[in-house]
Amino acid sequence: MGRFIQIVEVGPRDGLQNEKAVLTPDVRADFVRRLEAAGAKRIEAVSFVHPKYVPQMAAAEEVMAALPPASGRSRIGLVLNGKGYDRALGTAVDEVNVAMSATDGFGLKNQGLNVDQQVEMLSDIMAGRRNAEGAPGATPKLTATLSCVWGCPFDGEVSVEQVSELVARIAALGVEEIALADTIGVGDPWSVTRKVEAARKAAPDATLRLHFHDTRNTGLANAYAGVEAGVNILDASVGGIGGCPFAPGATGNIATEDLVYMLERAGFSTGYDLDKLIESARWIGDRIDKPRLSALSRAGSWP
């Protein structure tokens, strides 16, 4: 087998949060199980946010209660602040992903916090984790996702220096995995290379993950650039569903099945069953009334 590229499936969270359809907790849990049957080992299953603002993500606790722990699986809960983090700790999530922003504009819109306040929030969470070391019930793994790395709908362009400085601050707090996200899909392969290289220099001991949206049809090209730059972990959403309700124009993610097809045709290994992924994409498309959104869900695999 070739080099292994881990694909973190984000359909149940980033995929559903921007759709008009509000699915029940049972259907969302079924979605997670179907994706795991297709090969997902790490999956962003829920988001601990206020249902007033993101009703699609309501009842995260119920979704997690319907997903008993499974060996070799990691269910991730996204949080925006300390309150969300505390909610996550009350469930069986295996990982907590703290969402942050590279810009004040998006941070204030998404979380009500500017960049410095977000770093302070993360610092408080990390301090609490250190204080809990040795306590019964180990805290779940923690990662951070930095939104709007390639551009902000409110503040415009985001420089390499902005990203580098913030990645260094996050890594200094002890976060071992940092995701760089193109929230509104404005990146290009060459800027991906530059910002990955800068992030690696800023946090040489951290693991980098990349999260691309295909808003302007550059998602797969950007994923290619990330892999060529040495990144081994990519986010994707089955069917290409998703977006951000707080970022105007932020439409779907890279489709997991399209990404798996591209990588495995090139000789990489992903651990996914492509036929089952396509089946899952069609299944969720029917439930949100958006059938066959991705290229692979329309054309199928080959040969």
Side-chain angles (χ1 to χ4, degrees):
M1 299 298 289
R3 173 180 157 199
F4 181 73
I5 305 297
Q6 183 183 75
I7 300 176
V8 179
E9 173 59 55
V10 300
R13 196 282 303 176
D14 198 11
L16 294 179
Q17 72 172 5
N18 207 37
E19 297 298 330
K20 291 181 179 179
V22 179
L23 305 182
T24 67
D26 286 345
V27 172
R28 288 159 56 198
D30 190 18
F31 188 24
V32 171
R33 287 189 289 265
R34 286 171 180 270
L35 291 165
E36 290 180 339
K41 296 293 193 296
R42 290 179 72 190
I43 185 163
E44 206 167 59
V46 291
S47 178
F48 296 93
V49 294
H50 199 295
K52 174 183 176 182
Y53 302 109
V54 191
Q56 299 88 338
M57 292 292 102
E61 288 84 355
E62 292 182 43
V63 175
M64 288 306 306
L67 295 169
S71 177
R73 301 284 187 266
S74 186
R75 283 77 175 255
I76 306 168
L78 179 129
V79 306
L80 299 182
N81 50 41
K83 186 175 181 178
Y85 178 74
D86 290 340
R87 282 182 62 196
L89 293 186
T91 71
V93 294
D94 302 291
E95 299 181 42
V96 176
N97 182 26
V98 181
M100 304 176 66
S101 174
T103 66
D104 289 337
F106 186 72
L108 290 168
K109 198 74 173 179
N110 192 47
Q111 293 154 276
L113 303 173
N114 63 28
V115 169
D116 288 340
Q117 290 168 330
Q118 290 175 75
V119 174
E120 183 178 356
M121 173 270 294
L122 180 61
S123 178
D124 290 343
I125 288 174
M126 295 301 293
R129 290 171 65 84
R130 286 191 292 271
N131 292 337
E133 286 182 1
T139 54
K141 175 181 176 178
L142 184 141
T143 66
T145 293
L146 189 55
S147 302
C148 296
V149 165
W150 279 272
C152 173
F154 308 105
D155 294 355
E157 295 286 355
V158 177
S159 70
V160 171
E161 291 72 26
Q162 279 177 268
V163 174
S164 178
E165 179 186 355
L166 191 48
V167 166
R169 294 174 71 184
I170 293 170
L173 295 175
V175 178
E176 297 178 359
E177 181 180 295
I178 302 169
L180 307 180
D182 186 9
T183 308
I184 57 173
V186 293
D188 63 81
W190 298 273
S191 63
V192 168
T193 301
R194 289 192 297 271
K195 287 183 176 175
V196 166
E197 290 175 348
R200 187 173 285 121
K201 289 178 182 178
D205 296 327
T207 298
L208 294 182
R209 188 173 86 246
L210 297 176
H211 178 111
F212 295 116
H213 285 232
D214 202 30
T215 312
R216 292 166 178 82
N217 204 33
T218 59
L220 286 177
N222 292 339
Y224 162 81
V227 170
E228 288 294 288
V231 176
N232 292 316
I233 311 176
L234 301 170
D235 289 354
S237 173
V238 72
I241 61 173
C244 178
F246 303 106
T251 52
N253 296 264
I254 296 174
T256 311
E257 59 273 23
D258 293 357
L259 180 59
V260 166
Y261 175 79
M262 181 182 79
L263 291 171
E264 295 203 342
R265 281 283 290 170
F268 296 94
S269 173
T270 67
Y272 278 85
D273 182 316
L274 188 54
D275 289 336
K276 287 184 178 179
L277 268 181
I278 293 170
E279 181 183 325
S280 297
R282 292 171 177 170
W283 180 87
I284 194 61
D286 288 341
R287 274 141 193 83
I288 62 173
D289 198 25
K290 290 185 176 181
R292 306 200 177 197
L293 281 171
S294 69
L296 266 288
S297 67
R298 294 189 298 273
S301 184
W302 188 88

Short mmCIF file of all heavy atoms in Angstrom, two decimals, residues 166-212:
data_model
loop_
_atom_site.label_atom_id
_atom_site.label_comp_id
_atom_site.label_asym_id
_atom_site.label_seq_id
_atom_site.Cartn_x
_atom_site.Cartn_y
_atom_site.Cartn_z
N LEU A 166 -0.45 33.09 14.77
CA LEU A 166 -1.52 32.47 15.56
C LEU A 166 -1.27 30.98 15.76
O LEU A 166 -1.53 30.44 16.84
CB LEU A 166 -2.86 32.71 14.87
CG LEU A 166 -4.12 32.36 15.66
CD1 LEU A 166 -4.08 32.93 17.07
CD2 LEU A 166 -5.35 32.86 14.94
N VAL A 167 -0.75 30.30 14.75
CA VAL A 167 -0.40 28.89 14.91
C VAL A 167 0.64 28.73 16.01
O VAL A 167 0.54 27.81 16.84
CB VAL A 167 0.10 28.31 13.57
CG1 VAL A 167 0.80 26.97 13.78
CG2 VAL A 167 -1.05 28.15 12.59
N ALA A 168 1.62 29.61 16.06
CA ALA A 168 2.65 29.54 17.11
C ALA A 168 2.03 29.73 18.49
O ALA A 168 2.39 29.02 19.45
CB ALA A 168 3.72 30.60 16.86
N ARG A 169 1.08 30.64 18.62
CA ARG A 169 0.43 30.87 19.91
C ARG A 169 -0.39 29.66 20.34
O ARG A 169 -0.41 29.29 21.53
CB ARG A 169 -0.47 32.11 19.83
CG ARG A 169 0.30 33.40 19.62
CD ARG A 169 -0.64 34.59 19.39
NE ARG A 169 -1.34 34.97 20.60
CZ ARG A 169 -2.27 35.93 20.65
NH1 ARG A 169 -2.61 36.58 19.54
NH2 ARG A 169 -2.85 36.24 21.79
N ILE A 170 -1.08 29.03 19.39
CA ILE A 170 -1.89 27.85 19.71
C ILE A 170 -0.98 26.69 20.13
O ILE A 170 -1.25 26.00 21.12
CB ILE A 170 -2.76 27.46 18.50
CG1 ILE A 170 -3.81 28.54 18.24
CG2 ILE A 170 -3.43 26.11 18.72
CD1 ILE A 170 -4.55 28.37 16.92
N ALA A 171 0.08 26.47 19.38
CA ALA A 171 0.99 25.37 19.70
C ALA A 171 1.66 25.59 21.05
O ALA A 171 1.89 24.62 21.80
CB ALA A 171 2.04 25.24 18.60
N ALA A 172 1.96 26.84 21.39
CA ALA A 172 2.62 27.14 22.67
C ALA A 172 1.74 26.77 23.87
O ALA A 172 2.25 26.56 24.97
CB ALA A 172 2.99 28.62 22.72
N LEU A 173 0.44 26.68 23.64
CA LEU A 173 -0.48 26.29 24.72
C LEU A 173 -0.52 24.79 24.92
O LEU A 173 -1.15 24.31 25.88
CB LEU A 173 -1.89 26.81 24.43
CG LEU A 173 -2.05 28.33 24.39
CD1 LEU A 173 -3.46 28.71 23.97
CD2 LEU A 173 -1.72 28.93 25.76
N GLY A 174 0.11 24.04 24.04
CA GLY A 174 0.16 22.59 24.19
C GLY A 174 -0.77 21.82 23.28
O GLY A 174 -0.92 20.60 23.43
N VAL A 175 -1.38 22.49 22.30
CA VAL A 175 -2.25 21.80 21.34
C VAL A 175 -1.37 21.04 20.36
O VAL A 175 -0.50 21.62 19.71
CB VAL A 175 -3.16 22.80 20.60
CG1 VAL A 175 -4.02 22.06 19.58
CG2 VAL A 175 -4.03 23.56 21.59
N GLU A 176 -1.61 19.74 20.23
CA GLU A 176 -0.73 18.90 19.44
C GLU A 176 -1.16 18.74 17.98
O GLU A 176 -0.36 18.33 17.14
CB GLU A 176 -0.61 17.52 20.10
CG GLU A 176 0.04 17.59 21.48
CD GLU A 176 0.12 16.25 22.16
OE1 GLU A 176 -0.34 15.25 21.57
OE2 GLU A 176 0.65 16.18 23.28
N GLU A 177 -2.44 19.01 17.67
CA GLU A 177 -2.91 18.94 16.29
C GLU A 177 -3.67 20.20 15.96
O GLU A 177 -4.61 20.57 16.67
CB GLU A 177 -3.79 17.72 16.06
CG GLU A 177 -4.29 17.61 14.62
CD GLU A 177 -5.17 16.38 14.39
OE1 GLU A 177 -4.64 15.26 14.51
OE2 GLU A 177 -6.38 16.54 14.10
N ILE A 178 -3.27 20.86 14.88
CA ILE A 178 -3.87 22.13 14.47
C ILE A 178 -4.34 22.01 13.03
O ILE A 178 -3.56 21.63 12.14
CB ILE A 178 -2.87 23.29 14.60
CG1 ILE A 178 -2.35 23.39 16.04
CG2 ILE A 178 -3.51 24.61 14.16
CD1 ILE A 178 -1.17 24.33 16.21
N ALA A 179 -5.62 22.33 12.80
CA ALA A 179 -6.16 22.29 11.44
C ALA A 179 -6.21 23.70 10.87
O ALA A 179 -6.61 24.65 11.55
CB ALA A 179 -7.57 21.69 11.44
N LEU A 180 -5.83 23.82 9.62
CA LEU A 180 -5.93 25.08 8.88
C LEU A 180 -7.13 24.95 7.96
O LEU A 180 -7.17 24.04 7.12
CB LEU A 180 -4.66 25.35 8.08
CG LEU A 180 -3.33 25.30 8.84
CD1 LEU A 180 -2.17 25.60 7.88
CD2 LEU A 180 -3.32 26.26 10.01
N ALA A 181 -8.10 25.85 8.09
CA ALA A 181 -9.35 25.72 7.35
C ALA A 181 -9.57 26.88 6.38
O ALA A 181 -9.40 28.04 6.74
CB ALA A 181 -10.52 25.63 8.33
N ASP A 182 -9.99 26.52 5.17
CA ASP A 182 -10.39 27.50 4.17
C ASP A 182 -11.91 27.60 4.21
O ASP A 182 -12.62 27.04 3.37
CB ASP A 182 -9.91 27.07 2.79
CG ASP A 182 -10.15 28.12 1.71
OD1 ASP A 182 -10.54 29.25 2.07
OD2 ASP A 182 -9.97 27.79 0.52
N THR A 183 -12.42 28.33 5.17
CA THR A 183 -13.83 28.35 5.51
C THR A 183 -14.73 28.80 4.36
O THR A 183 -15.85 28.30 4.21
CB THR A 183 -14.05 29.25 6.73
OG1 THR A 183 -13.14 28.84 7.76
CG2 THR A 183 -15.48 29.18 7.24
N ILE A 184 -14.26 29.74 3.56
CA ILE A 184 -15.11 30.24 2.47
C ILE A 184 -14.59 29.82 1.09
O ILE A 184 -15.05 30.32 0.07
CB ILE A 184 -15.27 31.77 2.56
CG1 ILE A 184 -13.91 32.49 2.54
CG2 ILE A 184 -16.06 32.16 3.80
CD1 ILE A 184 -14.02 34.02 2.45
N GLY A 185 -13.63 28.92 1.05
CA GLY A 185 -13.19 28.36 -0.22
C GLY A 185 -12.55 29.34 -1.17
O GLY A 185 -12.91 29.39 -2.34
N VAL A 186 -11.58 30.12 -0.67
CA VAL A 186 -10.92 31.11 -1.53
C VAL A 186 -9.44 30.80 -1.76
O VAL A 186 -8.74 31.56 -2.42
CB VAL A 186 -11.06 32.53 -0.94
CG1 VAL A 186 -12.50 32.98 -0.98
CG2 VAL A 186 -10.52 32.61 0.48
N GLY A 187 -8.97 29.68 -1.23
CA GLY A 187 -7.56 29.34 -1.37
C GLY A 187 -7.21 28.83 -2.75
O GLY A 187 -8.06 28.50 -3.57
N ASP A 188 -5.92 28.76 -3.02
CA ASP A 188 -5.39 28.19 -4.25
C ASP A 188 -4.21 27.31 -3.87
O ASP A 188 -3.66 27.43 -2.78
CB ASP A 188 -4.94 29.29 -5.22
CG ASP A 188 -3.81 30.12 -4.66
OD1 ASP A 188 -2.65 29.68 -4.74
OD2 ASP A 188 -4.09 31.22 -4.10
N PRO A 189 -3.81 26.38 -4.74
CA PRO A 189 -2.76 25.42 -4.36
C PRO A 189 -1.44 26.07 -3.95
O PRO A 189 -0.75 25.56 -3.07
CB PRO A 189 -2.59 24.58 -5.63
CG PRO A 189 -3.91 24.68 -6.33
CD PRO A 189 -4.40 26.07 -6.05
N TRP A 190 -1.07 27.18 -4.58
CA TRP A 190 0.21 27.81 -4.27
C TRP A 190 0.18 28.48 -2.89
O TRP A 190 1.16 28.40 -2.14
CB TRP A 190 0.55 28.82 -5.37
CG TRP A 190 0.69 28.12 -6.69
CD1 TRP A 190 1.83 27.54 -7.19
CD2 TRP A 190 -0.34 27.87 -7.64
NE1 TRP A 190 1.57 26.96 -8.41
CE2 TRP A 190 0.25 27.14 -8.71
CE3 TRP A 190 -1.71 28.19 -7.71
CZ2 TRP A 190 -0.48 26.73 -9.83
CZ3 TRP A 190 -2.44 27.78 -8.82
CH2 TRP A 190 -1.84 27.07 -9.87
N SER A 191 -0.95 29.09 -2.54
CA SER A 191 -1.04 29.68 -1.20
C SER A 191 -1.16 28.60 -0.14
O SER A 191 -0.76 28.80 1.01
CB SER A 191 -2.22 30.65 -1.12
OG SER A 191 -3.46 30.00 -1.32
N VAL A 192 -1.71 27.44 -0.50
CA VAL A 192 -1.73 26.31 0.44
C VAL A 192 -0.30 25.93 0.79
O VAL A 192 0.05 25.77 1.97
CB VAL A 192 -2.48 25.11 -0.17
CG1 VAL A 192 -2.25 23.85 0.67
CG2 VAL A 192 -3.97 25.40 -0.27
N THR A 193 0.54 25.81 -0.21
CA THR A 193 1.94 25.44 0.03
C THR A 193 2.61 26.46 0.95
O THR A 193 3.30 26.09 1.92
CB THR A 193 2.71 25.36 -1.30
OG1 THR A 193 2.08 24.37 -2.14
CG2 THR A 193 4.16 24.98 -1.07
N ARG A 194 2.41 27.75 0.68
CA ARG A 194 3.06 28.78 1.48
C ARG A 194 2.60 28.74 2.93
O ARG A 194 3.41 28.84 3.86
CB ARG A 194 2.79 30.16 0.88
CG ARG A 194 3.50 30.44 -0.43
CD ARG A 194 3.43 31.92 -0.81
NE ARG A 194 2.05 32.36 -1.04
CZ ARG A 194 1.44 32.30 -2.22
NH1 ARG A 194 2.06 31.79 -3.27
NH2 ARG A 194 0.19 32.75 -2.37
N LYS A 195 1.31 28.58 3.14
CA LYS A 195 0.80 28.65 4.52
C LYS A 195 1.07 27.37 5.30
O LYS A 195 1.29 27.41 6.51
CB LYS A 195 -0.68 29.02 4.52
CG LYS A 195 -0.85 30.50 4.16
CD LYS A 195 -2.27 31.00 4.18
CE LYS A 195 -2.28 32.52 3.89
NZ LYS A 195 -3.63 33.08 3.78
N VAL A 196 1.11 26.23 4.61
CA VAL A 196 1.51 25.00 5.29
C VAL A 196 2.97 25.10 5.71
O VAL A 196 3.33 24.75 6.85
CB VAL A 196 1.29 23.78 4.37
CG1 VAL A 196 2.02 22.55 4.91
CG2 VAL A 196 -0.21 23.48 4.24
N GLU A 197 3.82 25.58 4.83
CA GLU A 197 5.24 25.72 5.18
C GLU A 197 5.43 26.68 6.35
O GLU A 197 6.22 26.42 7.27
CB GLU A 197 6.03 26.20 3.97
CG GLU A 197 6.15 25.15 2.87
CD GLU A 197 6.84 25.68 1.63
OE1 GLU A 197 7.02 26.93 1.53
OE2 GLU A 197 7.18 24.87 0.74
N ALA A 198 4.69 27.78 6.35
CA ALA A 198 4.80 28.76 7.44
C ALA A 198 4.29 28.17 8.75
O ALA A 198 4.89 28.38 9.82
CB ALA A 198 4.01 30.02 7.09
N ALA A 199 3.19 27.43 8.70
CA ALA A 199 2.64 26.82 9.92
C ALA A 199 3.59 25.78 10.48
O ALA A 199 3.77 25.67 11.70
CB ALA A 199 1.28 26.20 9.62
N ARG A 200 4.23 25.03 9.59
CA ARG A 200 5.17 24.01 10.06
C ARG A 200 6.37 24.64 10.76
O ARG A 200 6.86 24.14 11.76
CB ARG A 200 5.61 23.14 8.87
CG ARG A 200 6.44 21.95 9.29
CD ARG A 200 6.72 21.03 8.13
NE ARG A 200 5.54 20.24 7.79
CZ ARG A 200 4.96 20.26 6.59
NH1 ARG A 200 5.42 21.04 5.64
NH2 ARG A 200 3.91 19.50 6.35
N LYS A 201 6.84 25.76 10.22
CA LYS A 201 7.95 26.46 10.87
C LYS A 201 7.52 27.05 12.20
O LYS A 201 8.30 27.08 13.16
CB LYS A 201 8.47 27.57 9.94
CG LYS A 201 9.22 27.06 8.72
CD LYS A 201 9.68 28.20 7.83
CE LYS A 201 10.38 27.69 6.58
NZ LYS A 201 10.78 28.81 5.68
N ALA A 202 6.29 27.54 12.27
CA ALA A 202 5.80 28.16 13.51
C ALA A 202 5.54 27.13 14.60
O ALA A 202 5.65 27.45 15.79
CB ALA A 202 4.51 28.94 13.21
N ALA A 203 5.18 25.91 14.20
CA ALA A 203 4.86 24.87 15.19
C ALA A 203 5.43 23.54 14.71
O ALA A 203 4.69 22.64 14.29
CB ALA A 203 3.35 24.77 15.36
N PRO A 204 6.74 23.39 14.77
CA PRO A 204 7.39 22.20 14.20
C PRO A 204 7.00 20.89 14.87
O PRO A 204 7.13 19.82 14.25
CB PRO A 204 8.89 22.49 14.37
CG PRO A 204 8.97 23.53 15.45
CD PRO A 204 7.73 24.34 15.31
N ASP A 205 6.53 20.95 16.11
CA ASP A 205 6.18 19.72 16.82
C ASP A 205 4.70 19.37 16.70
O ASP A 205 4.27 18.31 17.17
CB ASP A 205 6.55 19.85 18.30
CG ASP A 205 8.05 19.99 18.52
OD1 ASP A 205 8.81 19.39 17.73
OD2 ASP A 205 8.46 20.71 19.44
N ALA A 206 3.90 20.26 16.12
CA ALA A 206 2.46 20.01 15.99
C ALA A 206 2.16 19.24 14.72
O ALA A 206 2.84 19.37 13.71
CB ALA A 206 1.70 21.33 16.00
N THR A 207 1.10 18.45 14.78
CA THR A 207 0.57 17.79 13.59
C THR A 207 -0.38 18.75 12.89
O THR A 207 -1.22 19.37 13.52
CB THR A 207 -0.19 16.51 13.98
OG1 THR A 207 0.71 15.60 14.61
CG2 THR A 207 -0.81 15.84 12.76
N LEU A 208 -0.24 18.86 11.57
CA LEU A 208 -1.12 19.74 10.80
C LEU A 208 -2.21 18.93 10.12
O LEU A 208 -1.97 17.82 9.63
CB LEU A 208 -0.33 20.51 9.75
CG LEU A 208 0.69 21.54 10.25
CD1 LEU A 208 1.34 22.25 9.07
CD2 LEU A 208 0.04 22.55 11.18
N ARG A 209 -3.41 19.50 10.10
CA ARG A 209 -4.55 18.94 9.38
C ARG A 209 -5.11 20.04 8.49
O ARG A 209 -5.01 21.22 8.84
CB ARG A 209 -5.61 18.47 10.39
CG ARG A 209 -6.75 17.69 9.77
CD ARG A 209 -7.69 17.12 10.83
NE ARG A 209 -8.71 18.06 11.25
CZ ARG A 209 -8.81 18.60 12.45
NH1 ARG A 209 -7.92 18.31 13.39
NH2 ARG A 209 -9.79 19.44 12.74
N LEU A 210 -5.68 19.69 7.36
CA LEU A 210 -6.20 20.69 6.43
C LEU A 210 -7.69 20.46 6.18
O LEU A 210 -8.15 19.32 6.07
CB LEU A 210 -5.45 20.64 5.10
CG LEU A 210 -3.95 20.97 5.18
CD1 LEU A 210 -3.30 20.80 3.82
CD2 LEU A 210 -3.73 22.39 5.69
N HIS A 211 -8.43 21.56 6.08
CA HIS A 211 -9.89 21.53 5.91
C HIS A 211 -10.24 22.51 4.78
O HIS A 211 -10.13 23.72 4.95
CB HIS A 211 -10.54 21.95 7.23
CG HIS A 211 -12.04 22.01 7.20
ND1 HIS A 211 -12.81 21.12 7.91
CD2 HIS A 211 -12.90 22.84 6.59
CE1 HIS A 211 -14.09 21.41 7.73
NE2 HIS A 211 -14.16 22.47 6.92
N PHE A 212 -10.66 21.94 3.64
CA PHE A 212 -10.95 22.78 2.48
C PHE A 212 -12.42 22.73 2.10
O PHE A 212 -13.06 21.68 2.15
CB PHE A 212 -10.11 22.35 1.28
CG PHE A 212 -8.64 22.56 1.47
CD1 PHE A 212 -7.76 21.49 1.50
CD2 PHE A 212 -8.13 23.84 1.64
CE1 PHE A 212 -6.40 21.68 1.68
CE2 PHE A 212 -6.76 24.05 1.83
CZ PHE A 212 -5.89 22.96 1.85
#
